[in-house]
């Protein structure tokens, strides 16, 4: 389906890594699929001394490698780059924004300003856009991290909110655009099978994991002032939690969905600072081996302080104080330099109350739903079945929904879906300000306690994090999925 109308997509940070790896490849895929209005334009903005030809050469060198497995269609690529213009802009020069306004004057339709920059530049860019009247008939996309804590997040939101109305602001979280997350909503609210079971009477526990094999790479300076709790938990993990736990919305319009997510975030049980050691584990990777390659300790990475107390791993036990989920533990986990790259949601259903078929039918995890977000996107339902042969011997089997095998249409990448939603004015998959505030309020006691206490627990790169993360689940009679397997 093509975008609703003409647009101009203005990309601040147009030569940056995010633009090259994610944003421009996603726009190319949308273009190749015929999803962009023919009159739509892309205006890249950066401070590099380039003309349009020089910028397009940069795009050719840095974007093509990040296009999906299907590769480049040269005809589609040629028509795609025809959409692209380049404006050199110095944020400190008001006359450069006049130049940007003049460059956009002949472009019809909605304007989208995507700020693929550091958060310290969000407010100056917004003020400069307003100074030349470019905040009208416009949408603005803000990348994470949006602030360092609740206070700084509110400061950014207040400043941006003076210039753009809330319905013009798109706070992007790319995990919300992933196909399995969308299918989780379809699975729950489109089928009579799951929704009656999606509650405390039938769910034993839920795990949400985002694990990375990579370290901090070239982002040591940024990461050492951020840490895993700010970088991953406050946004990605809590957003996934709210999708998993939300009540059925009235409809799929933007405010109905986000209202229900907000109710979950506000129902999170506050963490008493005295109990943080029992429900929160933080770790930092030391040297180790991943897939046969030795990797250094976090403290020796470029840009990282040698005595750093920044966490690269977090595991949390979370409770939701409402009727549906009272007493059900949600275990959240994220980390760098772990044993595998995986993002998944695991719903462990309760065992049957009595079994005439033997003890295997009573074991935890006999019935389980695993929603894999990466690297391969699948939904797998585990249940027990009788093994062939004599006797009533049970074995775990699974039913698969592998999207790339079941659906012949090409899958849409998360950024592609989200960018199309921005262009078309659909807000449901973007974070509203009150959601963000609720997440920061819940996270801050942990941040404050960790800032005042000792260093994170060490773990070897290539493992699944500190042993304390496993011990936390063992106290509840369960384990992380990979430990069971």
């Amino acid at each position: 389906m093509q975008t609703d109308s003409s647009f101009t997509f203005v990309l601040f940070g147009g030569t940056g890594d995010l633009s090259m790896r994610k944003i421009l490849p996603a726009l190319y895929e949308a273009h190749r699929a015929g999803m962009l209005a023919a009159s739509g334009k892309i205006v890249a903005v950066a401070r590099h001394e380039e003309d349009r030809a020089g910028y397009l050469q940069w795009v050719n060198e840095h974007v093509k490698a990040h296009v999906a497995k299907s590769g480049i269609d040269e005809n589609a690529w040629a028509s795609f780059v025809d959409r692209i213009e380049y404006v050199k802009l110095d944020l400190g020069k008001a006359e450069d924004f006049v130049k940007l306004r003049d460059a956009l004057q002949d472009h019809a339709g909605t304007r989208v300003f995507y700020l693929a920059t550091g958060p310290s530049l969000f407010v100056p860019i917004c003020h400069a856009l307003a100074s030349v009247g470019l905040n009208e008939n416009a949408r603005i996309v803000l990348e994470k991290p949006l602030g360092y804590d609740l206070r700084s997040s509110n400061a950014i939101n207040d400043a941006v909110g003076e210039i753009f109305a809330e319905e013009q602001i798109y706070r992007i979280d790319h995990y919300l655009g992933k196909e399995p997350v969308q299918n989780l909503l379809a699975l729950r609210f489109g089928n009579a099978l799951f929704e009656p079971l999606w509650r405390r009477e039938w769910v034993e526990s839920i795990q949400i994991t985002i694990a990375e094999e990579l370290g901090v790479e070239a982002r040591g300076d940024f990461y050492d002032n951020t840490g895993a709790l700010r970088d991953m938990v406050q946004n990605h993990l809590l957003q996934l939690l709210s999708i998993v736990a939300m009540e059925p919305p009235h409809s799929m319009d933007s405010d109905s969905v986000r209202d229900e997510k907000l109710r979950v975030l506000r129902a999170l049980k506050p963490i008493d600072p005295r109990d943080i050691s029992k429900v929160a584990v933080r770790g930092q990777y030391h040297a180790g081996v991943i897939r046969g390659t030795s990797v250094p300790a976090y403290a020796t990475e470029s840009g990282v302080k040698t005595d750093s107390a920044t966490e690269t791993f977090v595991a949390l036990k979370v409770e939701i104080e409402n009727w549906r989920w009272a007493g059900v533990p949600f275990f959240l986990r994220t980390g760098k330099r772990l044993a595998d790259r995986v993002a998944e949601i695991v719903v462990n259903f309760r065992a049957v109350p009595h079994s005439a078929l033997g003890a295997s039918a009573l074991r935890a995890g006999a019935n389980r739903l695993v929603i894999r977000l990466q690297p391969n996107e699948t939904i797998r339902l585990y249940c027990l079945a009788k093994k062939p042969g004599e006797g009533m011997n049970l074995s775990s089997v699974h039913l698969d929904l592998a999207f790339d095998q079941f659906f012949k249409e090409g899958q849409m990448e998360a950024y592609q879906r989200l960018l199309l939603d921005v262009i078309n004015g659909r807000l449901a998959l973007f974070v509203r300000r009150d959601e963000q505030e609720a997440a920061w309020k819940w996270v801050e006691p942990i941040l404050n306690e960790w800032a005042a206490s000792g260093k994170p627990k060490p773990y070897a790169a290539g493992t699944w994090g500190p042993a304390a993360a496993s011990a936390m689940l063992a106290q509840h009679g369960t384990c992380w999925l990979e430990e069971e397997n």
Side-chain angles (χ1 to χ4, degrees):
M1 183 179 72
Q2 195 179 79
T3 50
D4 297 338
S5 60
S6 185
F7 65 91
T8 304
F9 189 96
V10 182
L11 179 56
F12 284 86
T15 57
D17 185 59
L18 180 64
S19 297
M20 297 298 110
R21 287 188 304 106
K22 296 294 184 181
I23 300 170
L24 288 174
L27 289 170
Y28 164 72
E29 293 292 353
H31 167 85
R32 177 164 66 171
M35 293 178 170
L36 299 181
S39 57
K41 295 292 184 182
I42 300 166
V43 179
V45 174
R47 61 184 178 183
H48 289 66
E49 292 285 354
E50 299 280 3
D51 57 12
R52 180 174 182 270
Y55 180 72
L56 293 184
Q57 182 178 347
W58 178 274
V59 168
N60 269 289
E61 291 173 0
H62 293 87
V63 174
K64 284 186 173 182
H66 299 292
V67 169
K69 297 176 183 176
S70 52
I72 292 285
D73 177 322
E74 291 298 340
N75 290 330
W77 180 259
S79 57
F80 171 68
V81 297
D82 279 346
R83 293 180 182 268
I84 300 177
E85 301 173 9
Y86 179 74
V87 174
K88 178 189 174 297
L89 188 148
D90 185 333
L91 294 179
K93 294 181 179 179
E95 61 268 25
D96 279 10
F97 280 85
V98 174
K99 184 171 65 176
L100 176 62
R101 181 193 63 193
D102 293 343
L104 301 181
Q105 219 159 27
D106 296 331
H107 297 336
T110 299
R111 289 171 181 151
V112 173
F113 297 104
Y114 196 116
L115 306 194
T117 67
S120 63
L121 299 178
F122 291 173
V123 174
I125 290 173
C126 289
H127 279 298
L129 290 172
S131 72
V132 293
L134 288 177
N135 58 321
E136 299 174 6
N137 189 30
R139 296 165 189 150
I140 189 145
V141 186
L142 305 179
E143 269 284 349
K144 78 170 187 75
L146 203 66
Y148 185 78
D149 52 18
L150 179 60
R151 182 178 178 181
S152 58
S153 175
N154 282 341
I156 293 173
N157 279 316
D158 286 345
V160 174
E162 291 175 0
I163 297 162
F164 293 92
E166 180 64 27
E167 60 268 21
Q168 293 178 278
I169 302 172
Y170 291 70
R171 299 173 188 85
I172 195 167
D173 186 327
H174 70 275
Y175 275 88
L176 298 184
K178 289 181 176 289
E179 198 71 58
V181 175
Q182 300 301 293
N183 257 299
L184 174 58
L185 296 173
L187 198 73
R188 281 191 61 190
F189 305 135
N191 298 285
L193 176 63
F194 288 106
E195 181 56 24
L197 306 179
W198 213 262
R199 59 191 66 246
R200 58 187 174 86
E201 292 88 351
W202 302 106
V203 175
E204 181 75 35
S205 65
I206 294 178
Q207 301 174 17
I208 305 177
T209 293
I210 302 177
E212 301 176 271
E213 288 183 332
L214 293 175
V216 295
E217 306 308 297
R219 299 167 70 232
D221 287 331
F222 161 77
Y223 197 88
D224 206 38
N225 290 300
T226 305
L229 190 63
R230 291 184 178 92
D231 190 43
M232 299 297 291
V233 176
Q234 182 272 331
N235 40 68
H236 299 326
L237 280 168
L238 289 186
Q239 281 293 314
L240 291 177
L241 169 67
S242 66
I243 290 282
V244 170
M246 65 189 276
E247 295 295 320
H250 169 69
S251 70
M252 295 308 294
D253 71 74
S254 58
D255 279 332
S256 292
V257 172
R258 297 191 295 180
D259 285 347
E260 296 305 334
K261 287 164 57 189
L262 177 63
R263 289 188 179 97
V264 173
L265 293 170
R266 287 179 171 170
L268 294 177
K269 182 179 179 181
I271 292 183
D272 188 323
R274 294 169 297 183
D275 294 333
I276 283 179
S277 62
K278 302 175 186 175
V279 298
V281 176
R282 61 171 173 159
Q284 186 185 101
Y285 66 82
H286 286 201
V289 177
I290 296 180
R291 300 191 187 279
T293 301
S294 296
V295 297
Y298 172 76
T300 65
E301 300 271 23
S302 176
V304 175
K305 298 184 290 292
T306 55
D307 61 346
S308 174
T310 299
E311 77 284 353
T312 61
F313 175 95
V314 174
L316 301 169
K317 177 201 165 196
V318 179
E319 295 182 64
I320 300 173
E321 295 184 312
N322 64 16
W323 192 273
R324 182 183 290 264
W325 295 113
V328 176
F330 287 71
F331 298 106
L332 311 185
R333 176 178 59 163
T334 187
K336 290 188 174 295
R337 292 294 192 206
L338 298 182
D340 200 2
R341 173 180 174 264
V342 62
E344 64 187 7
I345 300 164
V346 180
V347 181
N348 290 312
F349 294 100
R350 295 189 186 277
V352 295
H354 170 75
S355 176
L357 303 176
S360 58
L362 295 172
R363 69 179 176 84
N367 300 142
R368 161 184 293 147
L369 184 69
V370 178
I371 301 154
R372 177 67 64 90
L373 308 180
Q374 65 183 31
N376 52 323
E377 299 182 339
T378 60
I379 295 178
R380 178 172 287 184
L381 177 64
Y382 289 84
C383 54
L384 294 175
K386 177 188 174 298
K387 288 181 180 179
E390 186 179 2
M392 183 57 73
N393 298 311
L394 303 183
S395 179
S396 179
V397 298
H398 57 262
L399 310 173
D400 266 344
L401 171 55
F403 299 107
D404 58 346
Q405 297 176 24
F406 192 86
F407 297 108
K408 301 307 178 187
E409 302 90 344
Q411 287 190 60
M412 192 182 293
E413 293 292 329
Y415 268 95
Q416 183 181 343
R417 172 180 289 106
L418 294 172
L419 295 183
L420 288 170
D421 278 1
V422 176
I423 292 169
N424 287 320
R426 296 190 288 258
L427 278 158
L429 299 182
F430 296 85
V431 180
R432 204 166 59 192
R433 176 175 179 168
D434 49 9
E435 292 180 72
Q436 194 173 66
E437 288 182 0
W440 273 120
K441 285 178 181 177
W442 187 82
V443 162
E444 274 210 328
I446 309 173
L447 287 171
N448 295 337
E449 181 66 19
W450 283 354
S453 60
K455 286 194 171 185
K457 298 179 183 298
Y459 64 96
T463 67
W464 282 103
S470 297
M472 183 172 66
L473 269 70
Q475 292 174 1
H476 296 273
T478 188
C479 63
W480 298 105
L481 182 61
E482 76 281 349
E483 293 174 335
E484 184 174 302
N485 294 338

